[in-house]
Amino acid sequence: MHPAPSVILFTVLSGLGFGLLAFLGMGLPDVSGGVAFVFFFLGFALAVGGLISSTFHLGNPKNAMKAFSQWRTSWLSREGCVSVAALILMGIYAAGVIFFDVKLAQIGWIAAALCIGTVFTTSMIYGQLATIPRWNHPLTSAYFLSLSVAGGALLAGQVKAAGVLLLIAGGVQIVTWMSGDKRFAERGHTIETATGLGDIGKVRMFEPPHTGTNYLLHEMVYVVGRKHAQKLRMIALGLMVVLPAALLLIFHAGHMLALVAVLSHLAGVMVSRWLFFAEAEHVVGLYYDKR
Amino acid sequence: MTQLPAQTERKLGLVIDLDTCVGCHACVISCKGWNTENYGEPLSDKDAYGANPSGTFLNRVHAFEVKPDTGPAQTIHFPKSCLHCEDAPCVTVCPTGASYKRTEDGIVLVNEKDCIGCGLCAWSCPYGARELDQVAGVMKKCTLCVDRIYNENLPEEDREPTCVRTCPANARHFGDFADPDSNVSKLTRERGGMDLMPEQGTKPVNKYLPPRPKDTMEEIDILAPLLAPVASEPKGFLGWLDKALEKL
Ligand code: SF4
Ligand code: SF4
């Protein structure tokens, strides 16, 4: 799949933002006034900034309001509804904490749950697609959720918890890669099943239907840059998990080191998310004999 | 509404005969023409006369080569367009309700006024049947020529999808799969019509007829024995020449 920068940015930033908001909603850290303002501002900026950048991917954004209507069947629509509910409730909770020094704990908890729910709906947009076997698995949700929670803990300054959650996210990432590598073959999609010609013999592409490129090839048959995948995986894991976890758990990072941990984590998640798209193979590639 | 109908009254669709398709691309061109001049946004092209032309098409003809265990390889021309699936994943993923499947005839359509161009439906289609128009920013797909098949302004014989009407090899057939006696149901039964990528569980309505098995020519030449060469060794001058040359 084409790793569109707007979608990478959206999923990474909003994942982090909703993770942070979830911790704030649970009263971790227990802040109020100006400090709370800074924390909530960061959380909202990341979450909303991410949501806005996702609209850059749309061909016709003027209809965006209609995207709230089909929550009965569409995960994308559900994502829209849940994220708005999460932001509104969290806004109420934040206003209480910042301006009135009151903690509406129940609202905070519900808002936190909705934040996690938003990340889950995002993950299901990808996880539901049977056409992309690498994504079509509960591990996709585990990958998004574990990263969001770990990143949220990191931003919320929960040093111990963040260290442990990062290690968990790293483990989930490794399992996701390993099982994802095998899934296309496991599902049994081949050029023979795609064409139905397997009964006659071995099938290969003879001539493509068009000499130039098209939307399908550009969007779904992205093959460039995969050859560095193994190296990029190592880089992603190192920046996203190993370095920040080491800083937190071994060096008990203070403010400066914590900043390094956050930036390293952010860069690592970007690389990981780039790979998430670039390595995902769509079955339509079979009709073009490329994946 | 993106909930799929439990059942549709009719199941309109195509049968595509891989045995007779000659790969002329006439259906591709007529589809592009009709759907640019009629229903919805035109099918745009980019850099049409430049070095890297690309454009939106609702029907494309691939070509494959199949090599059996014994015997020569076969070339198979392979037209591909929306299969109007019964369990269409492209409909249920749509956040706006722009994509829908009609209850009356099962045609899968996009209401372009509602489409936000998110492209998720194209991601969910295993067959590459949907293309986001790069100029209009809305999703385009085969409409089964919904603006022809019910169009009383057209002469009766033109009330079928333009690809079917155009095909010079008669490789495309249009009809109602819900009716067991329709032309398409009969063809599917008689010729073993098949689904593409059935393991995706989309239950396509359109069916593909596999190429007929190649026959082999039997030797039934009654004159052959009479015409067999009588002398295998050259005689006379030629024989001498042959021997002389051999010795050299
Ligand atoms: S072929 Fe693709 S676009 Fe057409 S109904 Fe099936 S899934 Fe949808
Ligand atoms: S591109 Fe349009 S039709 Fe397709 S899922 Fe998005 S809104 Fe629906």
Side-chain angles (χ1 to χ4, degrees), chain A residues 124-146:
Chain A
M124 282 308 289
I125 295 172
Y126 305 106
Q128 69 178 332
L129 295 170
T131 46
I132 302 159
R134 184 183 283 279
W135 293 351
N136 188 222
H137 194 274
L139 274 169
T140 298
S141 296
Y143 161 73
F144 273 81
L145 286 169
S146 62

Side-chain angles (χ1 to χ4, degrees), chain B residues 93-96 98-99 110 114-121 130 132 139:
Chain B
V93 299
C94 176
T96 62
S99 278
V110 175
D114 285 353
C115 173
I116 53 172
C118 65
L120 196 56
C121 53
R130 289 175 169 241
L132 189 74
M139 196 50 73

